């Protein structure tokens, strides 16, 4: 074991320099770390103290030196908080090239914004934000915050080098867990194992990165998040807003979420009557699903409201029936309730949505989801249903959620399933042009174009959204 | 800005001796809350616009004054707004959830929301079903400086009617503006405002619609007032003005070359111009003289400029390095401020912090930065004054009626070596003497004793672009160079763009558009980092011609592929962002092994008033081809009656620019 890690030494030196009144200066940065870098992390320590399944404390402190204008965005100070993450205090300081303090701010000097916007109407996820600006390079910013986690369902990731234009002098993650509490973690591109130290009352895990230069990714290189060093954390036992759970497997995650959903699929009598009126006369399950999906689409619409545990617990089916709105999980839950009433087997599915979203890591059970859909069985076919769309046909998901692993919530908790793949056979673009070229060189032609599968997503959205006159004008 | 009105809340008397009618005009709907009946649902489609996703059945605003409101002891206006909307299809469901924002705290008493009432109506089996908006549908939030109330109407489906009424209190003498026109058609929009003649207002009307109601009713009132220590009782006339528009079409989608729809929509706005009563008279901004005096005294505008500011002299020494006052030293001062200060987005003519703080933190808004520049210039021995203007997206300021709220941007006018310059140091991509495009929006006013007007119109500036393409038969094949020198505004755009992408990415995307027989060689930008110079970009290329027939279009990278004025009808006048003058020159040798089979004919076309000119000159002696095309637009504003001419003009250009030179392989 190395006693004198160079990075730790540097951190100690810089810390000593600050306490002696001098702010961070760029002189100490090695040339190898300046190359290709917009910003250099002088030090970045995240300490997580897990006190119980219900409580953890996070202390983060970093110092960044910004070398040129490409690194300006790293001077922005932002920190998230919500009902489960209390922000106790924040201190941030801006230093000029000589280490002189230009500005120092505390939590109350920062702007306070809701994370609502683009689809989410109301949420208690919030951000404290401050924009430091300085135009003479290099300059530095330091940041220190103390957060209390009231529930371990979501633990932060450690990403020492979140972008290739960042060079890292030193970054570390230190986690303390009480005795007997197993820490679940997964490392990506991290050489070796974390350092573990037993102390009375618990164990400390440490991951570190030192002297990692910035890089210039080659064209068509994989997305940076696939190449960067990171550590993902998840709890074993945890508690969130009074609901207890464990997270050792996908089934465990499913059981916890299932517990939040329990009892919320009761339909009022009028709704049940509607279901039977619509489907009792139909013989084919596929038809029943289609009819009920259309019923959902015509009678509800999406409004994003996520508050507290309501970020995970859906509005109950009765609420959605009466209000005619809900977010993705409320609408999916309502859909499943309608289907079950018609005697169809159906389940809620948690998924990471987005056309370019990264695939979930099925080898590590933890929360990797941002959306909920539903799936129903008709004979030997699975019919997938995007419940926030009032325009998609039943059984078609589109690029938003196609071709990826997801978590199906069932009576045993949950299991990983894979959504339909739309491949080159399904995604067709056919265009036929029939024309005549006359003697003077002009062409008179008619053109017919067919779009299938994912090819038609964009065009169909436009057709649904715009009136005919506008469509013609745009074409 | 706090108005000096303090009220002793005692006794108010109203005397209604009406002079005027109150009969409803034809078409005026019943605008009481809850008067929705099954017949409201009758229309499946509305004749005003059969493709509308929603129709505003009515939008009613009523403003009344309260001499002393609630516990505020302050004269206030109360706006009651009541709106009823028919949602025809799901595309308009976003109207059923909205956010009401009010400023949380500030030096002035901001307006606040007092009451919100809402309901959704549906027709089910011929019966009217009412679902009220209750507490569970309203979410309170805070964002930055704003308090927000987010409302979600329940039980909404296609065909539903929603209505809401909201009461907003405006402490002070500010009357909120009213917009008659928006993104959806409105069947009836009415604004009903009652003011005591104690206050005089300048009323600005905008839009092309004619009022169907425009009435005035007089009455009297009496109440105690207090201004700056003067205490008295005001008694006099009140005026009630009602304006209404019927069948207002939705704002048309922005058409190409419209500056901003905000300049065209129907609206009314008010600005206080005087307080008048016996014993106390105060005029506000009725003319520029008074306005300039007022601004000069403000601690957020003129008074910091008049301070000693001794610290400036020391800082100046470092910047000008002892140079005497000249254009050279002025340019140094300007460049220093432009390059070392960070400007926030908030546009305003008022400073946000003391000058010294602006200097220390090296940041501020447009006013902070440009007023600081003026102070530096004055201390360096130059004559410098602020100039205020309204930017393009902010709407048009009417110079004849100075309304301070109409102005949102400050620049500097500085004289050096006998020349006058307009400077804006708030954007890193501006060169000395250059202003951003958004500033060219009408008359700007110099805030000093001269009271000068500065014309900053779209046609005050001409954007000049020059492009040169040369191609020849060389030892290594048919090759050449392309060079474009951008105009002032295109240079600004390119500088901003090159902060987000790299030159490599720029040229790579250009290369993707090239035919397979064309290959790009070396490439580069010039003067990207020198804002005083225009930006040029250039690249070398090689062509590998193998086919029997080559269709070569002589114009690269700047053809009008489509007529920007394609639409048969136009709703708004055409507003070019600036005049322009684009010249394109091509000198080429005929490719070896080929001969000219077809050469486009030279041609020219111009607009009726000659403000638009397009020339296309091409000639060839069989071995070389010289080509030159020039497009000049010398006027920035074209009225609706000139649209057809403009359309034909561009139609000709599009057609002409499509014509290729045809080369045929020599056997």
């Amino acid at each position: 074991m190395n006693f004198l890690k160079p990075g730790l030494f540097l951190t100690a030196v810089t810390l000593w320099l600050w306490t002696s009144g001098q702010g961070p200066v760029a002189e100490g940065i090695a040339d190898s770390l300046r190359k290709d870098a917009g910003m250099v992390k002088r030090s970045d320590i995240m300490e997580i103290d897990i006190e119980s399944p219900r409580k953890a404390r996070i202390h983060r402190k970093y110092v960044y030196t910004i070398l040129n204008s490409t690194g300006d965005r790293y001077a922005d100070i932002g920190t998230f908080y919500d009902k489960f993450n209390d922000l106790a205090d924040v201190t941030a300081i801006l230093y000029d090239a000589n280490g002189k303090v230009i500005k120092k701010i505390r939590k109350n000097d920062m702007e306070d914004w809701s994370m609502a916007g683009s689809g989410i109407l109301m949420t208690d996820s919030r951000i404290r934000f401050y924009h430091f600006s300085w135009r003479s390079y290099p300059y530095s910013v330091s940041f220190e915050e103390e957060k209390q986690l009231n529930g371990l369902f979501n633990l932060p990731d450690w990403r020492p080098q979140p972008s290739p234009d960042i060079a890292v002098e030193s970054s570390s993650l230190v986690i303390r867990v009480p005795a007997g509490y197993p820490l679940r973690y997964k490392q990506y591109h991290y050489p070796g194992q974390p350092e573990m130290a037993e102390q009375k009352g618990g164990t400390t895990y440490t991951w570190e990165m030192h002297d990692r230069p910035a890089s210039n990714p080659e064209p068509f290189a994989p997305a940076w998040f696939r190449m960067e060093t990171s550590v993902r954390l998840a709890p074993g036992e945890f508690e969130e807003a009074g609901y207890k759970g464990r997270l050792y497997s996908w089934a465990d995650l499913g059981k916890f979420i299932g517990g939040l959903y329990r009892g919320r699929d009761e339909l009022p009598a009028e709704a049940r009557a509607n279901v039977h009126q619509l489907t009792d006369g139909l013989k084919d399950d596929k038809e029943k699903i289609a009819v009920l999906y259309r019923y959902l689409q015509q009678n509800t619409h999406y409004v994003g409201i996520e508050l507290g545990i309501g970020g995970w617990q859906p509005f109950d089916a009765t609420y959605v029936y009466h209000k005619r709105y809900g977010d993705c999980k409320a609408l999916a839950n309502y859909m499943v309730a309608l289907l079950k009433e018609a005697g169809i087997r159906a389940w809620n599915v948690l998924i990471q949505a987005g056309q370019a979203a990264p695939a979930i890591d099925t080898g590590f059970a933890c929360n990797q989801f941002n959306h909920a859909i539903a799936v129903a069985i008709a004979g030997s076919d699975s019919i997938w249903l995007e419940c926030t769309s009032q325009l998609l046909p039943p059984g078609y998901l589109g690029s938003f959620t196609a071709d990826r692993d997801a978590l199906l919530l069932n009576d045993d908790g949950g299991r990983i399933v894979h959504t339909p793949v739309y491949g080159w056979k399904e995604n067709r673009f056919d265009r036929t042009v029939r024309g005549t070229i006359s003697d003077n060189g002009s062409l008179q032609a008619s053109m017919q174009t067919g779009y299938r599968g994912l090819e038609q997503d964009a065009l169909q959205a436009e057709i649904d959204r715009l009136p005919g006159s506008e469509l013609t004008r745009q074409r | 800005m706090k108005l000096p009105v303090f009220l002793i809340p005692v006794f108010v008397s109203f005397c209604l001796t009406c002079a005027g009618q109150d009969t409803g005009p034809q078409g005026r709907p019943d605008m009481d809350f809850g008067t929705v009946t099954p017949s409201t649902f009758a229309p499946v489609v509305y004749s005003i616009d059969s493709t509308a996703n929603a129709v505003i059945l009515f939008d009613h605003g009523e403003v009344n004054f309260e001499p002393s409101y609630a516990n505020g002891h302050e004269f206030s206006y109360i706006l009651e707004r009541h709106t009823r909307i028919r949602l025809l299809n799901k595309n308009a469901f976003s109207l059923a959830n909205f956010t009401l924002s009010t400023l949380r705290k500030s030096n002035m008493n901001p307006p606040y929301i007092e009451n919100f009432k809402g309901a959704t109506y549906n027709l089910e089996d011929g019966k009217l079903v009412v679902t009220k908006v209750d507490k569970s549908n309203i979410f309170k939030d805070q964002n930055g400086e704003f308090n927000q109330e987010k409302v979600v109407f329940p039980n909404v489906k296609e065909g539903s009617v929603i209505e809401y009424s909201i009461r907003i209190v405006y402490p002070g003498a500010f009357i909120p503006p009213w917009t008659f026109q928006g993104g959806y058609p409105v069947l009836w929009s009415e604004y009903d405002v009652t003011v005591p003649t104690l206050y005089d207002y300048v009323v600005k009307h905008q839009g092309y619609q004619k009022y169907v109601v425009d009435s005035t009713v007089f009455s009297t009132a009496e109440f105690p007032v207090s201004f700056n220590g003067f205490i008295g009782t005001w008694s006099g006339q009140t005026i009630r003005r009602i304006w209404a528009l019927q069948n207002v079409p939705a704002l048309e989608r922005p058409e190409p070359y419209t500056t901003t729809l905000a300049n065209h929509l129907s609206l009314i706005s008010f600005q206080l111009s005087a307080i008048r009563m016996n014993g106390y008279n105060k005029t506000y901004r009725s003319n520029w003289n008074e306005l300039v005096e007022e601004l000069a005294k403000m601690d957020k505008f003129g008074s910091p400029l008049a301070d000693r500011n001794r610290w400036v002299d020391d800082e100046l020494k470092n910047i000008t390095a002892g140079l005497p006052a000249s254009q050279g030293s002025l340019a140094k001062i300007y460049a220093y401020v432009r390059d070392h200060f960070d400007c926030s987005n908030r546009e305003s003519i008022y400073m946000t912090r003391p000058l010294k703080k602006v200097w220390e933190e090296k940041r501020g808004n447009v006013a902070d930065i440009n007023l600081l520049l003026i102070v530096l210039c004055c201390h360096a021995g130059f004559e410098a004054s602020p100039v205020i203007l309204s930017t393009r997206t902010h709407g048009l300021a009417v110079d004849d009626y100075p309304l301070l709220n109409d102005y949102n941007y400050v620049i500097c006018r500085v004289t050096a070596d006998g020349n006058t310059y307009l400077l804006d140091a708030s954007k890193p991509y501006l060169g000395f003497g250059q202003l951003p495009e958004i500033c060219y929006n009408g008359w700007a006013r110099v805030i000093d004793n001269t009271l000068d007007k500065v014309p900053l119109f779209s046609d005050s500036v001409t954007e000049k672009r020059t492009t040169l393409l040369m191609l020849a038969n060389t030892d290594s094949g048919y090759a050449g160079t392309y060079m474009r020198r951008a105009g002032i505004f295109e240079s600004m755009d390119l500088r901003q763009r090159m902060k987000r992408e790299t030159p490599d990415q720029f040229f790579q995307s250009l290369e993707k558009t090239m035919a397979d027989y064309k290959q790009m060689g070396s490439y580069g930008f010039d003067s990207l980092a020198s804002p005083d110079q225009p930006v040029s970009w250039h690249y070398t290329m090689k062509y590998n011609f193998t086919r029997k027939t080559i269709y070569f279009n002589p114009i690269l990278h700047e053809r009008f592929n489509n007529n920007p004025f394609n639409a048969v009808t136009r709703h708004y006048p055409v507003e070019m962002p600036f005049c322009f003058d684009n010249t394109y020159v091509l000198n080429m040798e005929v490719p070896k092994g080929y001969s000219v089979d077809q050469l486009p004919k030279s041609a020219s076309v111009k607009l009726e008033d000659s403000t638009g000119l397009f020339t296309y000159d091409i000639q060839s002696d069989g071995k070389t081809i010289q080509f030159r095309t020039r497009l000049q637009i010398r006027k920035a504003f074209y009225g609706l009656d000139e649209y057809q001419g403009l359309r034909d003009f561009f139609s000709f250009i599009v057609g002409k620019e499509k014509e290729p030179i045809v080369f045929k392989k020599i056997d």
Side-chain angles (χ1 to χ4, degrees), chain B residues 181-396:
Chain B
Q181 198 173 19
Y184 295 92
V186 187
L187 296 187
W188 187 271
S189 180
E190 182 178 305
Y191 203 38
D192 179 342
V193 179
T194 306
V195 311
T197 51
L198 163 69
Y199 294 116
D200 239 5
Y201 293 88
V202 173
V203 183
K204 175 169 106 174
H205 298 269
Q206 184 182 285
Y208 308 107
Q209 309 281 321
K210 287 207 167 34
Y211 295 119
V212 296
V213 172
D214 186 348
S215 68
T216 311
V217 175
F218 293 96
S219 180
T220 60
E222 181 181 302
F223 49 84
V225 295
S226 160
F227 303 109
N228 277 342
F230 169 87
I231 297 176
T233 301
W234 178 81
S235 85
Q237 277 196 320
T238 68
I239 303 182
R240 180 180 179 194
R241 296 283 276 118
I242 307 179
W243 298 276
L245 287 181
Q246 187 174 32
N247 293 335
V248 188
L251 274 181
E252 295 290 336
R253 269 168 242 288
E255 297 167 322
Y257 297 101
T258 324
T259 306
T260 167
L261 289 183
N263 291 350
H264 299 286
L265 55 82
S266 295
L267 70 79
I268 296 186
S269 66
F270 306 82
Q271 175 125 1
L272 184 66
S273 64
I275 301 180
R276 275 188 234 291
M277 62 177 283
N278 281 334
Y280 186 92
N281 252 295
K282 187 168 174 63
T283 48
Y284 287 88
R285 311 134 186 196
S286 57
N287 58 47
W288 280 107
N289 249 312
E290 308 201 351
L291 211 154
V292 166
E293 251 183 66
E294 172 103 20
L295 279 172
K297 284 192 261 174
M298 278 191 197
D299 62 355
K300 287 193 157 68
F301 192 90
S303 78
L305 304 184
D307 287 342
R308 287 274 176 79
N309 293 320
R310 267 194 249 271
W311 53 274
V312 173
D313 296 314
D314 295 320
E315 307 289 358
L316 260 182
K317 287 202 194 85
N318 297 331
I319 302 171
T320 57
L323 277 176
S326 62
Q327 199 271 346
S329 67
L330 178 61
K332 269 198 157 57
I333 297 173
Y334 169 77
Y336 182 85
V337 179
R338 181 197 58 208
D339 295 337
H340 287 86
F341 286 76
D342 193 61
C343 184
S344 73
N345 277 333
R346 215 164 299 141
E347 282 166 0
S348 167
I349 61 173
Y350 303 110
M351 299 181 68
T352 62
R353 63 192 73 190
L355 273 177
K356 191 124 206 280
K357 268 229 157 232
V358 178
W359 177 269
E360 280 164 5
E361 295 183 5
K362 299 282 188 295
R363 63 188 270 185
N365 70 352
V366 175
D368 292 324
I369 292 178
N370 283 330
L371 290 173
L372 174 69
L373 176 63
I374 289 176
V375 168
L376 290 172
C377 291
C378 288
H379 278 249
F382 298 102
E383 262 174 55
S385 302
V387 180
I388 61 175
L389 56 93
S390 171
T391 58
R392 282 185 181 166
T393 45
H394 191 245
L396 293 168

Side-chain angles (χ1 to χ4, degrees), chain B residues 98-120:
Chain B
F98 55 81
T99 304
L100 302 160
S101 299
T102 46
L103 264 177
R104 251 196 313 163
K105 57 170 175 68
S106 62
N107 294 330
M108 327 183 274
N109 286 331
Y112 56 93
I113 298 172
E114 255 206 347
N115 198 23
F116 180 86
K117 198 161 66 161
T120 309

Side-chain angles (χ1 to χ4, degrees), chain A residues 50-125:
Chain A
I50 296 182
E51 295 170 21
S52 74
R54 206 170 354 125
K55 222 161 109 179
R57 217 177 270 282
I58 299 185
H59 180 248
R60 178 142 184 233
K61 191 170 160 71
Y62 68 67
V63 180
Y64 296 165
T65 295
I66 286 103
L67 297 177
N68 54 56
S69 63
T70 58
D72 277 337
R73 55 206 159 110
Y74 301 113
D76 282 341
I77 305 292
T79 181
F80 298 100
Y81 69 101
D82 59 23
K83 280 258 146 37
F84 302 111
N85 293 285
D86 270 339
L87 189 56
D89 202 9
V90 180
T91 309
I93 308 177
L94 172 70
Y95 306 89
D96 71 5
N98 299 320
K100 180 171 126 189
V101 173
I102 302 296
K103 195 155 177 91
K104 179 168 173 177
I105 57 158
R106 306 295 293 267
K107 184 166 87 166
N108 290 328
D109 301 314
M110 299 171 75
E111 296 171 36
D112 187 8
W113 290 87
S114 155
M115 291 303 291
S118 90
I120 303 292
L121 180 76
M122 187 64 206
T123 171
D124 48 35
S125 284

